[in-house]
Amino acid sequence: MVGSRTRQRPETQGVWDFLAQYGLFLAKAVTVAIAVVFCAIGIVAAASRARGGGGGEEGHIEVRKLNDRFDAMRDALRAATLESKEFRKLRKADRKAAKARHKSRPAPPDDKAPSAPRRIYVLNFHGDIRAQAVQNLREEISAVLTLAEPADQVVVRLESGGGMVHSYGLAAAQLARIRERGIPLTVCVDKVAASGGYLMACVAERVVAAPFAMLGSIGVVAQIPNFHRLLQKHDIDYEMVTAGQYKRTLTVFGHNTDAAREKFTEELEDTHALFKEFVSRYRPALDMAAVATGEAWFGERALALGLVDALGTSDALLQEAARASDVLEIRYVERKGLGERLGLTIEGAVERGVARAVERLDGRGDWLR
C-alpha cells in the first residue's frame, strides 16, 4: 500500500521532466540575458568615458521659463472650462500683456515703490550631509552672474538639515557672491534650513519660510564612538603616532584623555563662535544669545525671533512674481558615468535610510545638527 502511494504515473513523470528541462532552459536564458546586459553597460560606460575624456565633470546649463509652465497650467484649465471663442479671446489678451511686460518699464515714481525685477533667476539646493549639491550650485551661480544685473533678482529654494561645516561654509560663500554683485537675493525655505542650511539662508537679504518649516539650529555637534575598552578586553593594542601636540585629540580606537576632550570641546566652541559671527554679519539685528542655542523653530516662531522675514511658500512667491517678471529656473546638469550614477543612487538610498532611522529615534521628524 505504501509503495502504491509513492509510485508516479508515466504521464506525471513526463510532466515533471518537462518542467525540469524548461527550468534549466530558463536559467540558461536568464544567465545569457544578464551577461548581455552587463556587456552593454560596459560598452556604454566606455563610450561615455571616451566622449567625456574620462573626466566625467563636464555638464551644461538648462533654463526653464516658469512663466510658460504657469501659463500652460492655466490654459489647460481654461480649455476644459470655457467655450472655445472665449478661450481664444483670453489667449490673445495674454499675448498682448506679455508683449507689454517685455517693454521697458517706466522708472518708479519714488524710492518707496521700486519696480518689479526684470528677471528672476531661480536656483534649487537640496542639501545632504556633505552638501554635494554645492558642486552644481557653484556652476549655476557662475552662469547667472554672467548676465544678471542689480535690476534682476535671484531666488534660491533651499532645503537642508545641515552637515559638514566646511561644505556648507563653501555653499554659503557661493551665495555671498550674489550679494557682492549687488543682486537682490531671496531664500525660500519650504521644509527645513537648519544648522548648515541656515548658514546658507542667512546670507540672503530676505528669507521666506513656510509656517511649519524648521529653521535655526545655530550650533555644532560632533559624535565619536570609542572602542578602546573593547580592544582591551580582547588584548588588542592600538598604536597611533602623531607629530604635533594636537594633530589628533579624540580617537575611535585609542584611549581618550581628559586633556584631549578639553581640546576637542575648545575646537567645537571656536567653530560655534565662527558660526555666530557669520550669521551676525548678515543679520545683525538678531539676538544671538537667544537664537544660537542649537535650537530650531517652526516658521511662525522663527519670524518672531527675526530668523526669517516673511511667511509663505516658494510656490506662492514665484507664481506671484511671474505676473510682472520673467522667472527662469537655472539648473546645471553634470554628465556622470554609469558607475557613478549607480553609486550616487545607492549612496542616496543609504542616506535616506539613515535619516528615516534617526527620525524614528528622535520622534520629532527633524534631524538637527
Side-chain angles (χ1 to χ4, degrees):
M1 183 68 70
V2 174
S4 62
R5 289 179 184 173
T6 58
R7 187 181 302 119
Q8 294 181 344
R9 295 179 181 178
E11 58 269 23
T12 305
Q13 182 64 39
V15 170
W16 282 110
D17 289 343
F18 169 77
L19 291 176
Q21 291 175 10
Y22 179 75
L24 182 60
F25 167 77
L26 185 62
K28 290 179 179 178
V30 170
T31 302
V32 171
I34 292 174
V36 170
V37 169
F38 273 102
C39 287
I41 290 173
I43 292 170
V44 171
S48 299
R49 286 194 297 271
R51 286 196 301 269
E57 296 181 356
E58 295 181 3
H60 63 276
I61 289 290
E62 290 183 355
V63 181
R64 181 173 66 153
K65 192 172 182 180
L66 296 186
N67 305 69
D68 296 339
R69 177 172 176 265
F70 295 139
D71 291 346
M73 294 164 66
R74 178 199 59 204
D75 289 343
L77 290 175
R78 282 178 174 175
T81 56
L82 301 176
E83 296 292 336
S84 58
K85 184 177 180 180
E86 187 178 0
F87 177 65
R88 289 194 299 270
K89 183 179 178 180
L90 287 173
R91 287 287 299 270
K92 186 176 180 180
D94 291 337
R95 285 194 290 268
K96 286 183 65 177
K99 288 180 180 178
R101 191 178 72 234
H102 281 80
K103 291 182 180 179
S104 299
R105 288 186 290 271
D110 54 58
D111 294 339
K112 296 183 180 179
S115 61
R118 180 184 54 177
R119 297 189 187 96
I120 295 177
Y121 298 95
V122 181
L123 311 179
N124 298 288
F125 185 92
H126 297 275
D128 55 13
I129 296 174
R130 293 189 289 167
Q132 294 179 92
V134 73
Q135 303 303 328
N136 288 359
L137 180 68
R138 68 201 308 178
E139 298 288 347
E140 292 161 0
I141 291 176
S142 294
V144 167
L145 293 182
T146 63
L147 186 63
E149 298 177 356
D152 301 322
Q153 185 179 350
V154 175
V155 173
V156 177
R157 291 187 285 198
L158 171 64
E159 302 295 341
S160 176
M164 295 181 176
V165 175
H166 58 280
S167 299
Y168 278 91
L170 175 59
Q174 294 296 332
L175 295 183
R177 294 170 59 197
I178 300 170
R179 292 285 304 269
E180 290 164 3
R181 289 283 293 274
I183 300 169
L185 172 63
T186 297
V187 163
C188 293
V189 182
D190 290 327
K191 293 181 180 178
V192 59
S195 196
Y198 192 76
L199 184 74
M200 295 177 63
C202 75
V203 176
E205 292 170 298
R206 188 165 178 254
V207 180
V208 179
F212 284 90
M214 295 291 290
L215 298 104
S217 189
I218 303 174
V220 185
V221 63
Q223 302 176 80
I224 302 175
N226 184 263
F227 299 95
H228 177 66
R229 285 183 295 178
L230 178 64
L231 296 180
Q232 273 191 327
K233 182 179 178 180
H234 294 279
D235 296 325
I236 299 173
D237 293 328
Y238 175 76
E239 300 291 340
M240 181 176 65
V241 181
T242 62
Q245 183 180 0
Y246 298 118
K247 178 61 180 177
R248 190 69 76 237
T249 52
L250 297 185
T251 72
V252 175
F253 299 110
H255 173 63
N256 290 324
T257 64
D258 290 339
R261 293 188 187 93
E262 183 179 346
K263 179 59 179 177
F264 192 82
T265 303
E266 179 186 323
E267 292 171 349
L268 244 60
E269 292 289 351
D270 185 54
T271 304
H272 190 208
L274 289 171
F275 193 167
K276 292 187 289 185
E277 290 168 13
F278 187 87
V279 174
S280 295
R281 187 184 313 157
Y282 289 99
R283 299 188 76 86
L286 278 177
D287 181 357
M288 201 54 59
V291 300
T293 59
E295 299 171 84
W297 293 270
F298 290 116
E300 293 273 3
R301 305 289 183 261
L303 178 64
L305 289 167
L307 292 165
V308 304
D309 303 295
L311 295 180
T313 64
S314 62
D315 306 283
L317 184 145
L318 294 176
Q319 195 163 17
E320 181 62 30
R323 297 177 181 273
S325 308
D326 289 335
V327 182
L328 306 174
E329 185 179 43
I330 311 300
R331 181 167 172 256
Y332 180 75
V333 180
E334 184 179 356
R335 182 190 299 169
K336 291 184 174 66
L338 186 62
E340 187 177 1
R341 291 199 300 271
L342 180 61
L344 289 174
T345 300
I346 295 172
E347 182 180 359
V350 171
E351 284 199 354
R352 287 191 296 272
V354 171
R356 284 195 293 269
V358 171
E359 287 175 3
R360 287 195 294 269
L361 289 173
D362 187 54
R364 294 193 306 166
D366 55 337
W367 189 9
L368 306 179
R369 286 181 267 289

